[in-house]
Protein backbone atom coordinates (compact mmCIF):
# COMPACT_ATOMS: atom_id res chain seq x y z
CA UNK A 1 0.00 0.00 0.00
CA UNK A 2 1.14 3.48 -0.65
CA UNK A 3 1.18 5.70 2.40
CA UNK A 4 -2.22 7.40 2.40
CA UNK A 5 -2.16 10.99 1.26
CA UNK A 6 -4.21 13.23 3.53
CA UNK A 7 -5.45 16.60 2.34
CA UNK A 8 -7.08 18.46 5.23
CA UNK A 9 -7.75 21.65 3.22
CA UNK A 10 -8.01 21.41 -0.58
CA UNK A 11 -7.80 24.74 -2.40
CA UNK A 12 -11.02 26.68 -1.96
CA UNK A 13 -12.36 24.45 0.86
CA UNK A 14 -12.44 25.52 4.51
CA UNK A 15 -9.88 23.60 6.60
CA UNK A 16 -11.06 20.50 8.43
CA UNK A 17 -10.54 20.45 12.19
CA UNK A 18 -11.41 16.87 13.22
CA UNK A 19 -10.91 14.98 9.95
CA UNK A 20 -9.20 15.12 6.54
CA UNK A 21 -11.29 16.31 3.59
CA UNK A 22 -9.52 13.90 1.24
CA UNK A 23 -7.56 10.68 1.79
CA UNK A 24 -6.23 8.60 -1.10
CA UNK A 25 -4.26 5.35 -1.16
CA UNK A 26 -3.51 2.39 -3.40
CA UNK A 27 -4.03 -1.21 -2.27
CA UNK A 28 -6.66 -3.75 -1.22
CA UNK A 29 -10.00 -2.24 -0.19
CA UNK A 30 -11.56 -3.29 3.15
CA UNK A 31 -15.10 -2.27 4.13
CA UNK A 32 -16.24 -2.72 7.74
CA UNK A 33 -19.97 -2.66 8.39
CA UNK A 34 -21.35 -0.29 10.98
CA UNK A 35 -20.40 -1.43 14.46
CA UNK A 36 -22.47 -1.06 17.62
CA UNK A 37 -21.52 -1.22 21.29
CA UNK A 38 -21.97 -4.97 21.65
CA UNK A 39 -19.49 -7.23 23.38
CA UNK A 40 -18.43 -10.64 21.99
CA UNK A 41 -21.58 -12.20 23.51
CA UNK A 42 -23.95 -9.70 21.87
CA UNK A 43 -24.58 -7.79 25.10
CA UNK A 44 -24.81 -4.00 25.08
CA UNK A 45 -21.86 -2.18 26.64
CA UNK A 46 -22.59 1.21 28.21
CA UNK A 47 -26.36 1.60 28.25
CA UNK A 48 -27.02 5.36 28.06
CA UNK A 49 -23.26 6.09 28.21
CA UNK A 50 -21.91 7.56 24.96
CA UNK A 51 -18.26 7.31 26.04
CA UNK A 52 -18.53 3.62 26.97
CA UNK A 53 -20.40 2.85 23.77
CA UNK A 54 -17.84 4.72 21.65
CA UNK A 55 -14.96 2.81 23.25
CA UNK A 56 -16.68 -0.52 22.54
CA UNK A 57 -17.50 0.50 18.97
CA UNK A 58 -13.83 1.30 18.30
CA UNK A 59 -12.74 -1.96 19.93
CA UNK A 60 -15.12 -3.79 17.57
CA UNK A 61 -13.85 -1.83 14.57
CA UNK A 62 -10.29 -2.79 15.50
CA UNK A 63 -11.21 -6.48 15.71
CA UNK A 64 -13.01 -6.34 12.36
CA UNK A 65 -10.09 -4.59 10.69
CA UNK A 66 -7.65 -7.15 12.14
CA UNK A 67 -9.79 -9.99 10.76
CA UNK A 68 -9.17 -8.53 7.29
CA UNK A 69 -5.44 -8.05 7.88
CA UNK A 70 -5.83 -4.30 8.46
CA UNK A 71 -5.49 -1.85 11.33
CA UNK A 72 -6.51 1.67 12.16
CA UNK A 73 -3.43 2.92 10.31
CA UNK A 74 -5.11 1.73 7.10
CA UNK A 75 -8.44 3.52 7.67
CA UNK A 76 -9.16 6.14 5.02
CA UNK A 77 -12.83 6.89 5.87
CA UNK A 78 -15.07 6.69 8.93
CA UNK A 79 -18.80 7.32 8.91
CA UNK A 80 -20.56 8.08 12.19
CA UNK A 81 -24.28 7.63 12.67
CA UNK A 82 -25.44 9.17 15.97
CA UNK A 83 -28.81 9.62 17.59
CA UNK A 84 -27.57 12.93 19.02
CA UNK A 85 -24.65 15.04 17.82
CA UNK A 86 -23.80 15.57 21.51
CA UNK A 87 -22.21 12.09 21.30
CA UNK A 88 -19.55 13.24 18.81
CA UNK A 89 -17.00 14.33 21.47
CA UNK A 90 -17.16 10.81 22.97
CA UNK A 91 -16.58 9.33 19.52
CA UNK A 92 -13.64 11.67 18.90
CA UNK A 93 -12.09 10.65 22.23
CA UNK A 94 -12.46 6.95 21.41
CA UNK A 95 -11.06 7.54 17.92
CA UNK A 96 -8.07 9.42 19.40
CA UNK A 97 -7.14 6.30 21.38
CA UNK A 98 -6.66 4.47 18.06
CA UNK A 99 -5.84 7.10 15.41
CA UNK A 100 -3.37 9.96 15.96
CA UNK A 101 -4.30 13.48 14.89
CA UNK A 102 -1.72 13.46 12.08
CA UNK A 103 -3.41 10.40 10.48
CA UNK A 104 -7.06 11.45 10.58
CA UNK A 105 -9.23 9.77 7.94
CA UNK A 106 -11.93 11.40 5.87
CA UNK A 107 -15.13 11.37 7.93
CA UNK A 108 -18.84 11.98 7.79
CA UNK A 109 -21.21 12.38 10.73
CA UNK A 110 -24.95 11.90 10.34
CA UNK A 111 -27.58 12.42 13.02
CA UNK A 112 -30.32 9.82 12.68
CA UNK A 113 -33.73 9.49 14.31
CA UNK A 114 -32.96 5.95 15.44
CA UNK A 115 -30.64 3.01 14.94
CA UNK A 116 -31.54 -0.68 14.67
CA UNK A 117 -32.18 -0.89 18.44
CA UNK A 118 -33.22 2.00 20.71
CA UNK A 119 -30.36 1.43 23.19
CA UNK A 120 -27.71 2.10 20.53
CA UNK A 121 -26.47 5.69 20.63
CA UNK A 122 -24.12 5.33 17.66
CA UNK A 123 -22.93 3.19 14.80
CA UNK A 124 -19.57 3.61 13.07
CA UNK A 125 -18.40 2.09 9.79
CA UNK A 126 -14.90 2.13 8.31
CA UNK A 127 -13.22 1.94 4.94
CA UNK A 128 -9.56 0.95 4.80
CA UNK A 129 -6.87 0.33 2.19
CA UNK A 130 -4.12 -2.21 2.90
CA UNK A 131 -1.07 -3.35 0.92
CA UNK A 132 -1.63 -5.54 -2.09
Amino acid sequence: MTEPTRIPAPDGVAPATQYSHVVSATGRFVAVSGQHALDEHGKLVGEGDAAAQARQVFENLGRCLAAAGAGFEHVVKLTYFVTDTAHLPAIRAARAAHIPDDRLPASSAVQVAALVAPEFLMEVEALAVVGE
Side-chain angles (χ1 to χ4, degrees):
M1 171 188 87
T2 62
E3 176 66 23
T5 300
R6 292 168 176 78
I7 305 170
D11 290 341
V13 177
T17 56
Q18 292 292 322
Y19 59 94
S20 296
H21 277 292
V22 179
V23 179
S24 65
T26 302
R28 182 173 52 86
F29 179 76
V30 175
V32 178
S33 294
Q35 296 298 302
H36 300 108
L38 296 174
D39 68 13
E40 64 272 16
H41 304 292
K43 304 247 186 237
L44 177 68
V45 172
E47 184 169 353
D49 182 343
Q53 287 199 20
R55 286 189 299 271
Q56 184 65 45
V57 164
F58 273 84
E59 288 299 318
N60 292 347
L61 286 170
R63 290 181 181 112
C64 291
L65 289 164
F72 283 104
E73 69 274 17
H74 301 111
V75 172
V76 296
K77 174 83 164 59
L78 291 169
T79 303
Y80 312 109
F81 301 96
V82 295
T83 57
D84 187 332
T85 56
H87 303 321
L88 290 173
I91 290 173
R92 288 186 195 112
R95 181 195 64 199
H98 298 279
I99 303 173
D101 285 348
D102 65 342
R103 299 185 64 83
L104 292 175
S107 298
S108 297
V110 181
Q111 183 170 335
V112 296
L115 292 164
V116 70
E119 62 270 16
F120 297 143
L121 303 177
M122 65 197 63
E123 179 176 328
V124 182
E125 63 184 25
L127 301 176
V129 178
V130 295
E132 298 184 72

